[in-house]
Amino acid sequence: MSALLQVSELSKSFGGVKAVRSVSFEIAKGELLALIGPNGAGKSTCFNMLNGQLRPDAGSVRLEGRNIVGLAPRQVWRLGVGRTFQITATFASMTVRENVQMALLSHHRHLGRLWVRARDQHRDEADRLLDLVGMLAQAERPCSILAYGDLKRLELAIALANQPRLLLMDEPTAGMGPRERVELMGLTAQLVKAQGIAVLFTEHDMDVVFKHADRLMVLDRGQLIAEGAPAQVRANAQVQAIYLGSRSEH
Ligand code: ADP
Ligand code: MG
């Protein structure tokens, strides 16, 4: 397996709290890898170290062999590490299409391509992305009036506009109903598989995790305690005790 991302002995403390302790893992191209664990396990801290938002105390993060520790989030984004489902990524007063066009402009600009009028730019490409996520019919609507699930699908289109090689999705389905969750991750799985994009995601809904993840990692108090195929991890007694046993909190 040639790894797209290699994480080695990543650690981060906040004061006396060891949020992430010597975490190592790899993600292959096109793989959907779920990172699960109870609240406070260190999942978001891991994500924040992968995309440059937080600097690790120790360890390395290699993207196709290049250590990206110390790069700013923007630089990591430019190397093809996308992050989805941050509500702030959309502009409420603009239409659905304009939001995707903005993302495309930003992407093409960093590739050094010339552009002229923002409103007309990349319209076809924007519509193709909106069609992929099932949002083309809503292209002219302002984002401010979108239903929550539709906003999430738009955010997926925006993330894809950057042609990421790796997508980081921290609780992408938070706030959604069970059916919407399965649908959104199903759509994500289908799209990223078709394009060979690797995905690292966190998710509390075990139905979604077991249905869509190729592989699972379990984090508990900053440490990886299990890793493997979903069925394998589900059968792990330590995981059942620590995590699956505590699912009532969600
Ligand atoms: P998860 O995403 O798995 O719920 P987090 O990574 O958010 O876990 O948090 C892991 C631990 O680190 C928790 O104990 C949390 O309180 C602590 N923590 C996270 N971010 C900060 C921060 N910026 N400052 C201080 N403590 C933090
Ligand atoms: Mg979190």
Side-chain angles (χ1 to χ4, degrees):
M1 180 182 82
S2 71
L4 175 68
L5 192 82
Q6 287 173 296
V7 175
S8 181
E9 301 190 5
L10 213 53
S11 296
K12 180 77 190 176
S13 294
F14 298 106
V17 179
K18 290 181 174 170
V20 173
R21 295 190 268 176
S22 200
V23 163
S24 303
F25 63 91
E26 295 189 349
I27 308 178
K29 192 166 177 268
E31 185 179 34
L32 257 79
L33 177 58
L35 178 63
I36 66 170
N39 284 331
K43 303 181 297 295
S44 294
T45 303
C46 272
F47 272 74
N48 292 337
M49 289 192 282
L50 300 187
N51 88 327
Q53 255 170 293
L54 263 184
R55 199 187 172 106
D57 296 337
S60 65
V61 179
R62 292 184 183 279
L63 184 68
E64 289 182 327
R66 172 180 177 182
N67 194 352
I68 58 171
V69 165
L71 297 186
R74 185 94 192 151
Q75 294 172 301
V76 177
W77 177 81
R78 282 184 182 160
L79 292 174
V81 179
R83 190 163 184 163
T84 57
F85 308 112
Q86 289 163 306
I87 294 296
T88 50
T90 61
F91 297 95
S93 64
M94 298 197 318
T95 67
V96 166
R97 179 185 288 120
E98 284 165 350
N99 266 281
V100 180
Q101 285 175 295
M102 285 292 288
L104 287 166
L105 274 173
S106 172
H107 177 58
H108 286 279
R109 198 178 312 159
H110 105 72
L111 294 177
R113 294 180 189 154
L114 292 176
W115 55 283
V116 200
R117 288 165 302 162
R119 279 190 104 77
D120 297 336
Q121 281 295 308
H122 309 301
R123 193 187 159 111
D124 293 346
E125 204 178 341
D127 283 1
R128 187 186 63 80
L129 287 167
L130 288 173
D131 196 26
L132 277 180
V133 302
M135 287 291 290
L136 188 54
Q138 304 200 59
E140 311 280 345
R141 304 184 85 193
C143 287
S144 54
I145 61 166
L146 289 184
Y148 192 65
D150 291 341
L151 196 54
K152 297 287 198 180
R153 288 193 288 155
L154 170 60
E155 284 172 339
L156 180 58
I158 288 172
L160 292 176
N162 185 42
Q163 298 188 313
R165 290 182 286 169
L166 172 66
L167 260 187
L168 302 174
M169 303 169 67
D170 194 1
E171 301 197 29
T173 69
M176 299 180 110
R179 211 176 112 194
E180 263 191 325
R181 278 185 221 150
V182 172
E183 276 172 14
L184 182 78
M185 278 317 289
L187 176 66
T188 303
Q190 188 191 324
L191 294 178
V192 301
K193 286 284 174 198
Q195 303 183 34
I197 300 169
V199 175
L200 178 68
F201 72 106
T202 66
E203 173 62 58
H204 285 306
D205 185 330
M206 286 303 110
D207 292 339
V208 174
V209 171
F210 288 121
K211 196 163 175 189
H212 295 298
D214 296 318
R215 198 155 56 92
L216 240 70
M217 298 187 297
V218 185
L219 202 58
D220 181 52
R221 280 168 283 177
Q223 286 182 302
L224 280 184
I225 58 157
E227 187 253 303
Q232 201 182 338
V233 171
R234 192 177 357 206
N236 181 307
Q238 198 186 357
V239 173
Q240 286 177 359
I242 290 172
Y243 184 63
L244 301 176
S246 68
R247 63 183 296 192
S248 57
E249 73 189 61
H250 305 297

